[in-house]
Amino acid sequence: MSNTMPGTAPTHQTYSELQQAYDHFNEALFDGRLPHCLLTLQREKRTVGYFSAARFASLEGATTDEIAINPSYFAVVPLVETMQTLVHEMAHLWQQHFGQPGRGRYHNEQWAQKMESIGLMPSSTGQPGGKRTGDMMADYPVAGGRFLVACESLLTSDFSLSWYDRFPAEEHVQLGQNTVSAQLVGVMGASAPIKDNPALAGAVRPGGPSRKPIAEVAVGEVPSAPEAAPNKSNRIKYTCGGCPKLSVWGRPNLNIVCGDCGSRFVALN
């Protein structure tokens, strides 16, 4: 049974909002030089978004790039963070057309310099002190930088994201609490949508439909996962305490330290 209001089209609404954000940041940060691309929503594991050059072709044989955003994070990370993901991928699109991309997934120095010039600091950990280049890269906003200025002008207009994934993973909630964006003071969109909208908080259930809604979870508490079946493989999962998206598998009782942020890995099962 659908709960949408008559006359609304969630598909049109969602993609129109993403296109509005793309057009705004194109003008504000890239001087309107970026070509059109195809924006998609993809639940790719272990990534918040990606850029794929010339991924789609038309019936006439024309091609267009793809920027994909993972909607699993929308409700539980700050709106500023979602906009960072979009602009991060737009920087890849800029480099594809006006620069020299690194090999494969490598984020090279040219990309890092472009990111800094538009007000986003590249960081392998998503926190100050991370590496500026590498295969797996995050970023954080520069205080007073061009990105935050452009983001504020977007968020004070009629812009919003209307639709959110109800079943994010627990690690998505943890990421939303630990981002630099979530620590910004006096910035619109610096808190997760579930914190700003009680109705949304009552609908979102991290971990799946059988779990309790985020509105019933204590502030700062990451919803606990249901009791897992005994692990018969003698291998357990470890997650970095400072880089929530970084995990490894290994034998019990390992003592692992992250080479990027220096935090210890925590056993999850």
Side-chain angles (χ1 to χ4, degrees), residues 97-165:
H97 291 273
F98 304 106
Q100 296 293 325
R103 50 104 183 116
R105 298 183 303 173
Y106 189 75
H107 299 68
N108 62 18
E109 181 63 26
Q110 182 188 59
W111 175 86
Q113 290 180 7
K114 184 64 176 179
M115 287 283 284
E116 288 191 48
S117 76
I118 60 177
L120 288 174
M121 183 62 66
S123 169
S124 57
T125 65
Q127 302 287 333
K131 297 178 181 178
R132 294 176 67 257
T133 60
D135 284 326
M136 302 294 291
M137 293 297 298
D139 54 77
Y140 61 89
V142 176
R146 295 176 61 200
F147 168 76
L148 283 180
V149 172
C151 201
E152 182 178 14
S153 66
L154 175 67
L155 299 184
T156 53
S157 67
D158 60 350
F159 178 82
S160 66
L161 292 180
S162 299
W163 293 94
Y164 297 85
D165 187 341

Side-chain angles (χ1 to χ4, degrees), residues 6 8 40 59 67 94 97 100 112 120 126 141 149 163 187 200 225 230 234:
T8 64
T40 66
L59 292 174
I67 287 180
W94 170 86
H97 291 273
Q100 296 293 325
L120 288 174
V149 172
W163 293 94
V187 175
L200 181 63
N234 202 35

Side-chain angles (χ1 to χ4, degrees), residues 181-258:
S181 300
Q183 315 310 317
L184 296 173
V185 177
V187 175
M188 288 191 65
S191 60
I194 53 169
K195 292 185 177 180
D196 296 332
N197 189 300
L200 181 63
V204 172
R205 296 172 176 263
S210 63
R211 307 289 296 284
K212 63 182 179 180
I214 195 72
E216 298 178 14
V217 178
V219 175
E221 174 190 351
V222 176
S224 58
E227 185 175 349
N231 182 4
K232 300 180 181 180
S233 68
N234 202 35
R235 295 174 68 247
I236 62 176
K237 186 177 182 180
Y238 297 83
T239 295
C240 174
C243 312
K245 295 186 290 184
L246 184 61
S247 300
V248 297
W249 288 84
R251 60 178 174 78
N253 301 318
L254 287 179
N255 184 12
I256 309 173
V257 176
C258 179

